[in-house]
Amino acid sequence: MVELGVFFGVMVAAAAWMMRTLLRRGNRKTESADGLRIEQARREQAVSDRSSYSSNAVHNSPTHGHGYRP
């Protein structure tokens, strides 16, 4: 029973640490041009990834369901 308490205590501590880190970061804006370019590139990559790895893109591929294995 003590082990279970320790396990949940560690899990709660880890969750609190992550929340603290995320809240401390906040939504600060980048003020330098380099930072803005990095943010724009990451945003464009995220949009590309969302369309490339969507359920339709993955499950309707020509190799899906045909027994093809490379």
Side-chain angles (χ1 to χ4, degrees):
M1 196 66 177
V2 172
E3 295 87 3
L4 193 59
V6 170
F7 174 73
F8 283 123
V10 169
M11 295 299 284
V12 167
W17 181 265
M18 287 187 271
M19 286 175 37
R20 178 191 140 315
T21 302
L22 290 174
L23 290 174
R24 197 179 86 206
R25 281 180 51 195
N27 287 330
R28 291 180 276 181
K29 292 285 182 186
T30 303
E31 296 185 15
S32 68
D34 292 334
L36 291 173
R37 280 191 230 124
I38 291 169
E39 285 180 11
Q40 182 179 8
R42 298 249 169 97
R43 187 173 43 251
E44 290 169 356
Q45 183 65 43
V47 168
S48 172
D49 288 348
R50 279 194 290 275
S51 63
S52 297
Y53 299 114
S54 69
S55 182
N56 273 344
V58 171
H59 294 295
N60 290 332
S61 67
T63 60
H64 184 71
H66 298 290
Y68 173 80
R69 293 192 179 212

